[in-house]
Amino acid sequence: MTDYKEKFEKMKIAGNLAAKTLDMLTENIKEGISTDHIDKLGYEFIRDNGGYSAPLYYRGFTKSLCTSLNHVICHGIPSDRILQEGDAVNVDVTAIVDDHYGDTSRMFCIGKTPVKLNNLIDVTYESMMRAIKILKPGIKLGDIGYEIQSFAEEKGFSVVRDFCGHGISTTFHEPPNILHYGKKNTGMELRPGMTFTIEPMINSGRYDVKMLNDGWTAVTKDKSLSAQFEHTLGITENGYEIFTESAKGYSKPPYL
Ligand code: MF3
Ligand code: CO
Ligand code: CO
């Protein structure tokens, strides 16, 4: 059963471009630049490497990627906001190549960041990786949510409920929803050939969300800090394949 092989090859090309965009940004994100500058660099890099930025004009979004700072949970809109020492920003890149999508995000720290924020970022990354490592045919969607929720809550953090991972292939967002909380052995069973994202949003305080008037920016209602990482991946005959791995080994900060 390898009827999904071609889909996986194409998704790996799109995923690699999205990951390479974040690798490039790693060397450019620093104190004093604006989030609009990150957007411009990302837009140009994806265009110059044979792809399109999926967020641009997606459902009225006007930028090419998302920049979510500090207490912004997700879908932050790039602006003239200047990055300052102590900020942490999630940059979420989605590239389209040959009609296939690759969607990935990482956290970036500006200068020295508070210990609690660094801990939140570490726990968020590890919660995603713990969920990825159990992936194989036969496990259920609830098992993914359980891995993330049990680990994050044990560390004293909370899992955002209002946004989730998603199926992805030749469309940006498709079924199934991948919840980042849940119970073991519940929900749809995974099958070879499935492609989706895992993108936990973890808050240092409560999980409640507030939407800003721009219609996109989601922030923590209690103004606590929030972190997120995202990979696009596929289920194989006996495990999984990550399509958005960094070729430079940039997984989480600090990127040395
Ligand atoms: N990349 C986001 C995700 O992980 C979606 C961003 S939609 C946008 O699903 F319009 F805000 F860009
Ligand atoms: Co996504
Ligand atoms: Co994304």
Side-chain angles (χ1 to χ4, degrees), residues 142-176:
D143 299 327
I144 296 174
Y146 175 81
E147 284 300 317
I148 294 164
Q149 182 180 16
S150 58
F151 183 70
E153 291 182 354
E154 177 194 310
K155 299 294 181 184
F157 299 132
S158 67
V159 179
V160 171
R161 310 291 203 261
D162 296 24
F163 298 94
C164 55
H166 48 92
I168 181 170
S169 59
T170 54
T171 50
F172 197 168
H173 297 105
E174 60 190 38

Side-chain angles (χ1 to χ4, degrees), residues 92-94 103-104 199 230:
D92 190 341
V93 168
T94 311
D103 187 7
T104 185
E199 50 180 302
E230 176 175 25

Side-chain angles (χ1 to χ4, degrees), residues 226-247:
S226 189
Q228 181 178 28
F229 288 86
E230 176 175 25
H231 272 311
T232 297
L233 38 90
I235 302 300
T236 61
E237 299 306 310
N238 42 30
Y240 63 89
E241 187 174 352
I242 300 177
F243 301 137
T244 46
E245 203 111 68
S246 166

